[in-house]
Amino acid sequence: MNQNQTALLTACKHALSLGFNEEAILKYVFETIGFGCIGILVEHVVISTNVPDRAKRDRELFTRLEALVKNSPRGSYVIVERKFPQLEDQTPSSNTFQTIVSDGSGEIAEGGRFSSYGLYPSSAMVLTEMVQYEINQCCSSLLLTQQTNDCKAIIRKHNLRPGQHYEITCRTGDFKSFSKAIITHIAFEHGFVSVKLFRKGKSTPTYQTILANTFAAYVFTESQTLILSGVSKVVSHSLNSS
């Protein structure tokens, strides 16, 4: 992990710990670490959309430009300006601008990769697209890790394992119409629980795989008792009972 990635991870962790929403997270991280580079325009290419063999030409052009960007420092970018022919009614056509940006690791930055601008983009616009994507990806990864850890802790706490039976009365959510659940599989490393669900009076089961914390929210209440295989007890459950 390079210095920029470390700074990004630290800032995102802190923003999430403060309970910021997405907008506040972006603002905080941008203010904390900035872009982590300067924008360097390495080439501006203008291409016409009204030429023979356009597809072949575009493939060759983008192959060359991507190789150029990959071998450039973080924040280096090229602009591809697409020039459209004038319309038949003589209405002036507007050009579009696409960017290819280096993320500094020898790869093309995903942020802004498929963006198209109606006006010539400034370096600040280009870098904002790149870093905003990196912030969102970093926060998503952190939240997923935390969710997985929470689910694994629930599996350990309740000793969830295949074969456990629950008689449940659900009044909301995914289990609303089911009366009994049987755990069929535990994907511990990912925090998922697979269950076989039965409707009252029905013999055909429904199969679902859900997060362990979601399963726990439905079945572990103070009025509910875990039923191990072979033991028959009623499990009372209410989330948003009326």
Side-chain angles (χ1 to χ4, degrees):
M1 185 177 292
N2 60 38
Q3 185 177 359
N4 181 71
Q5 291 170 327
T6 300
L8 174 66
L9 181 62
T10 301
C12 288
K13 279 183 176 179
H14 188 60
L16 289 171
S17 72
L18 295 174
F20 288 163
N21 61 22
E22 183 177 346
E23 183 180 350
I25 288 173
L26 291 173
K27 183 175 184 295
Y28 172 81
V29 177
F30 269 120
E31 290 177 350
T32 302
I33 67 171
F35 296 132
C37 62
I38 59 173
I40 304 170
L41 177 62
V42 294
E43 190 168 342
H44 175 194
V45 181
V46 180
I47 58 177
S48 174
T49 60
N50 190 27
V51 294
D53 297 323
R54 189 183 74 181
K56 179 176 181 295
R57 180 211 59 185
D58 284 0
R59 284 196 301 272
E60 292 173 349
L61 173 65
F62 277 85
T63 296
R64 179 182 71 78
L65 292 178
E66 289 189 358
L68 172 64
V69 169
K70 286 179 180 180
N71 288 294
S72 300
R74 174 178 170 82
S76 302
Y77 65 99
V78 301
I79 291 178
V80 178
E81 180 179 353
R82 295 184 183 276
K83 192 173 183 179
F84 293 90
Q86 191 176 48
L87 301 179
E88 291 182 3
D89 62 1
Q90 303 303 308
T91 301
S93 60
S94 58
N95 297 350
T96 62
F97 302 85
Q98 181 180 349
T99 59
I100 307 172
V101 192
S102 169
D103 70 358
S105 70
E107 297 296 335
I108 303 300
E110 290 297 326
R113 187 168 192 168
F114 302 105
S115 296
S116 181
Y117 304 88
L119 297 173
Y120 187 91
S122 66
S123 61
M125 291 170 62
V126 174
L127 295 183
T128 296
E129 290 260 14
M130 176 180 72
V131 176
Q132 182 170 310
Y133 178 87
E134 292 173 343
I135 293 170
N136 288 333
Q137 288 298 105
C138 183
C139 288
S140 294
S141 177
L142 288 169
L143 290 171
L144 178 60
T145 298
Q146 183 59 58
Q147 175 180 263
T148 301
N149 289 340
D150 290 345
C151 288
K152 289 163 77 172
I154 286 171
I155 293 171
R156 290 193 194 97
K157 177 182 177 181
H158 297 289
N159 192 27
L160 298 181
R161 59 186 184 275
Q164 291 175 331
H165 291 219
Y166 297 85
E167 295 295 336
I168 53 179
T169 303
C170 296
R171 301 179 184 178
T172 188
D174 291 340
F175 288 3
K176 184 176 182 179
S177 60
F178 299 107
S179 60
K180 185 169 76 170
I182 302 174
I183 295 178
T184 59
H185 179 70
I186 301 292
F188 179 76
E189 288 305 315
H190 301 288
F192 281 95
V193 177
S194 296
V195 292
K196 184 162 56 173
L197 301 168
F198 294 89
R199 291 179 175 86
K200 193 169 185 178
K202 302 284 186 178
S203 60
T204 304
T206 297
Y207 295 87
Q208 288 190 21
T209 297
I210 59 176
L211 290 165
N213 58 1
T214 300
F215 181 72
Y218 282 103
V219 300
F220 291 113
T221 63
E222 290 186 3
S223 60
Q224 178 261 322
T225 303
L226 172 65
I227 301 176
L228 301 180
S229 294
V231 180
S232 178
K233 291 186 180 179
V234 173
V235 181
S236 174
H237 165 73
S238 174
L239 282 179
N240 295 318
S241 56
S242 55

